[in-house]
Amino acid sequence: MLTGCVPWPDEFAQRYRRDGIWRGEVLGDLLRPEAADDPDRIAVVTRHGRHSYAELDRRADRLAAGLVGLGIRADDRVVVQLPNTPDFVVTCVALFRIGALPVLALPAHRRSELVYLAEYSGAVALVVPDLLAGTDHRTLARAVRAAVPSVAHLLVAGEAQELTPLAGIDASPLDLPTPDPSAVAFFLLSGGTTGLPKLIPRTHDDYTFQLRATAEAMRFDENGAYLAALPVAHNAALGCPGVLGALRAGGRAVLAASPAPDEVFPLVSTESVTLTTLMPALLPVWMETAGIFGVDLSQLVIEVGGATLSPDVARQVRPTTGATLTHWFGMAEGVLSFTRPDDDDEVTATTQGTPLSPADELRVVDDTDQDVAAGEVGELLARGPCTLRGYYAVPEHNRTVFTPDGFLRTGDLVRRDAEGRLVVVGRIKDVINRGGEKVSVDEVEAHLLAHPAVRSAAVVPVPDSRLGEKTCAVVVAQDDPPSLAEVRAFLSDRGLAEFKLPDRLHLTAALPYTPVGKIDRRALARDHAGTA
Ligand code: AMP
């Protein structure tokens, strides 16, 4: 196992293998069976074209050989920041085949996040698009190389300028050794519990299990078409079953550039999409516009979660669109609980169902780690065959975020209903959930404090009818207080992703403190609950 990663204890690994949960599959084998047996079968579709299993399999082999030629080896970390394109799939599969480890950055990440990820992972390469939604990612890539000496290669999908074009990395396929299935295959980014987001190692064993089990639960097979409307770099659209699960099942992965109705609905119709994933904030827009686009959603299952879903909105989905909803609670860390397509609509509207597998162990505990009484609210602790045992290379943090017996402290407040289904009721971690995008308050506060006119600052959630929560920066300023626009421009110049820029600014004379001297964010959130 890669240094800095925490393996499952032998006793658990043996049990997961014995019970047929981990089956020794590796992610580099994605595309292979269909490429051999049914080469023209369509694997990936975008608005611009359709790509067969054989084509993508061949491209992945050639890219893998080209990357080896550049010097990329097993266990090397490669930050991959690509949007929903065939290049994403080919790049990841090529890296899986080498045993090199993609570190999946979101398209919204900017200089600050990319530098952080490259530094933290010790990346040897960065893969970016040329231009995306008005941002020149080549400029970001150059900034990463200037800041992080380990990054030797900047690979660009599209017009590379003086950097290395991804399309030019091409060589005759090599016979590469298959990675150990228990080895780390790639890294996802945590939504954060405290401080900056952490890297989540996902192994071949655990992720292929997740792909298989989520596909079975959603009744997704080779006849299915999965629509990626959310960024594929996020676990929700990547592997629940997502794009990789669709390919593992021999189905089609339909990649949308955005979840906007004019982008997705034509694809839903032409590709007869059967499954997709949405954050709750997008559901009302889909319900309002499906009729206008004349799209038939009656064969579609929509997995919704990642942030609070209003039961009222959930109840309207089938009557207005004909679509079937499943409601999930999930973390990139591997904890997954969800309702199944056959569940009663009321169960789906009001609970997040049951865990992915019987081998998942969930506990609901109080402040002293004692199990609460049945039906009571407490923090969710989780352990299981795809829940990590430690974040990458942060042993101190791991000592506080995991119990001594390996349960992850999720930072989420839940209860179990009378049937044992999970109901998420809140959160104790310092993260704001802005429509599913997680904003670590510590991270934004640290950037705010760098502003010359900011003496102290706290970032708190304020309720928002569309996104659930938005961010409010409460600032004690020096003589010349900044405006919201100035604060946003300042943070943006520091390279912070746009979704982390405060939505509101409140100037105050002093911040409240708890008796132990920490900023009392709960009091602030209460005080500012009406400011959205
Ligand atoms: P991420 O790893 O980015 O998907 O973020 C995981 C976090 O999203 C969880 O720890 C929760 O705080 C939040 N979350 C996920 N699903 C739900 C849900 N159904 N309701 C409320 N919060 C959710």
Side-chain angles (χ1 to χ4, degrees):
M1 175 77 61
L2 179 71
T3 311
C5 294
V6 186
W8 276 263
D10 284 346
E11 168 206 348
F12 285 84
Q14 280 161 15
R15 190 194 313 157
Y16 297 149
R17 285 199 190 97
R18 188 194 61 216
D19 292 348
I21 294 171
W22 292 352
R23 298 184 183 171
E25 273 183 59
V26 291
L27 288 167
D29 282 350
L30 287 171
L31 309 171
R32 287 248 193 261
E34 295 75 17
D37 299 342
D38 192 1
D40 296 330
R41 194 178 177 78
I42 295 299
V44 170
V45 181
T46 70
R47 284 238 290 210
H48 309 291
R50 311 181 95 225
H51 305 270
S52 71
Y53 273 92
E55 176 202 333
L56 298 183
D57 182 54
R58 196 172 47 244
R59 279 177 60 189
D61 269 343
R62 297 192 65 91
L63 176 59
L67 290 169
V68 169
L70 281 184
I72 300 206
R73 298 283 179 266
D75 282 348
D76 280 349
R77 275 79 66 201
V78 176
V79 176
V80 175
Q81 186 193 39
L82 289 174
N84 295 7
T85 53
D87 279 334
F88 177 94
V89 173
V90 170
T91 302
C92 287
V93 174
L95 292 169
F96 296 150
R97 287 181 182 176
I98 299 170
L101 313 178
V103 177
L104 297 184
L106 295 172
H109 286 148
R110 292 292 172 262
R111 190 183 68 241
S112 167
E113 290 91 4
L114 292 174
V115 167
Y116 169 75
L117 287 176
E119 234 163 27
Y120 175 8
S121 65
V124 299
L126 167 65
V127 190
V128 292
D130 48 7
L131 292 164
L132 193 62
T135 297
D136 191 333
H137 287 252
R138 295 163 296 203
T139 310
L140 298 177
R142 288 182 198 107
V144 172
R145 183 169 54 192
V148 189
S150 66
V151 178
H153 305 284
L154 302 181
L155 315 179
V156 180
E159 172 51 54
Q161 296 173 342
E162 86 288 6
L163 308 179
T164 307
L166 189 65
I169 306 172
D170 180 64
S172 295
L174 295 171
D175 206 5
L176 296 165
T178 305
D180 180 340
S182 65
V184 175
F186 68 106
F187 290 97
L188 289 171
L189 198 52
S190 81
T193 44
T194 55
L196 287 161
K198 305 289 183 291
L199 287 180
I200 300 166
R202 302 297 307 250
T203 66
H204 295 276
D205 269 332
D206 94 69
Y207 215 69
T208 52
F209 162 63
Q210 182 179 304
L211 300 182
R212 186 179 78 241
T214 48
E216 280 167 9
M218 293 298 140
R219 298 189 311 236
F220 188 96
D221 61 19
E222 71 276 13
N223 301 312
Y226 175 81
L227 171 79
L230 302 176
V232 284
H234 190 277
N235 187 44
L238 182 74
C240 303
V243 167
L244 298 188
L247 298 175
R248 188 195 166 278
R252 257 170 305 140
V254 181
L255 307 181
S258 86
D262 59 343
E263 170 74 16
V264 290
F265 287 148
L267 287 167
V268 169
S269 291
T270 56
E271 294 301 322
S272 305
V273 168
T274 58
L275 184 67
T276 192
T277 317
L278 279 186
M279 296 287 168
L282 295 162
L283 258 190
V285 188
W286 277 37
M287 286 197 285
E288 279 159 28
T289 50
I292 301 168
F293 281 84
V295 58
D296 174 15
L297 301 185
S298 61
Q299 300 307 310
L300 182 66
V301 174
I302 310 178
E303 302 175 273
V304 178
T308 306
L309 168 64
S310 145
D312 289 335
V313 172
R315 288 185 189 107
Q316 291 163 28
V317 170
R318 197 189 297 277
T320 55
T321 67
T324 299
L325 210 63
T326 66
H327 185 181
W328 53 269
F329 163 84
M331 299 178 79
E333 282 79 349
V335 190
L336 271 176
S337 178
F338 47 90
T339 63
R340 308 304 197 262
D342 292 333
D343 279 340
D344 184 83
D345 283 356
E346 196 51 29
V347 165
T348 298
T350 55
T351 81
Q352 286 87 15
T354 49
L356 176 62
S357 99
D360 282 308
E361 302 167 78
L362 301 188
R363 290 179 61 202
V364 185
V365 301
D366 63 17
D367 292 348
T368 61
D369 279 358
Q370 299 303 307
D371 292 289
V372 298
E376 295 293 310
V377 171
E379 183 181 6
L380 176 68
L381 306 188
R383 187 167 78 171
C386 53
T387 300
L388 86 173
R389 290 300 186 123
Y391 294 95
Y392 179 56
V394 284
E396 288 301 315
H397 180 72
N398 287 337
R399 266 191 278 285
T400 56
V401 177
F402 291 84
T403 63
D405 55 353
F407 280 84
L408 168 70
R409 301 180 195 279
T410 65
D412 289 300
L413 290 173
V414 304
R415 63 182 175 81
R416 310 291 287 266
D417 73 4
E419 280 75 40
R421 295 193 186 91
L422 193 77
V423 181
V424 180
V425 299
R427 187 173 352 114
I428 48 176
K429 55 192 169 191
D430 286 333
V431 170
I432 297 174
N433 194 334
R434 198 177 175 281
E437 291 187 301
K438 313 302 182 310
V439 182
S440 158
V441 300
D442 294 346
E443 182 184 3
V444 181
E445 284 171 6
H447 283 280
L448 279 170
L449 288 173
H451 191 291
V454 172
R455 212 178 308 151
S456 51
V459 176
V460 294
V462 288
D464 180 75
S465 59
R466 197 172 63 84
L467 294 176
E469 290 176 353
K470 280 190 171 180
T471 55
C472 177
V474 186
V475 163
V476 180
Q478 315 274 20
D479 299 341
D480 189 15
S483 66
L484 175 62
E486 282 160 4
V487 165
R488 286 174 61 92
F490 175 77
L491 297 184
S492 185
D493 282 350
R494 289 179 63 82
L496 215 56
E498 192 182 338
F499 70 86
K500 297 179 187 169
L501 308 182
D503 296 295
R504 304 271 178 275
L505 173 70
H506 183 86
L507 297 168
T508 186
L511 295 174
Y513 285 87
T514 64
V516 287
K518 291 186 187 179
I519 293 175
D520 191 347
R521 292 201 184 100
R522 271 161 216 261
L524 282 173
R526 260 195 321 272
D527 293 350
H528 295 278
T531 60

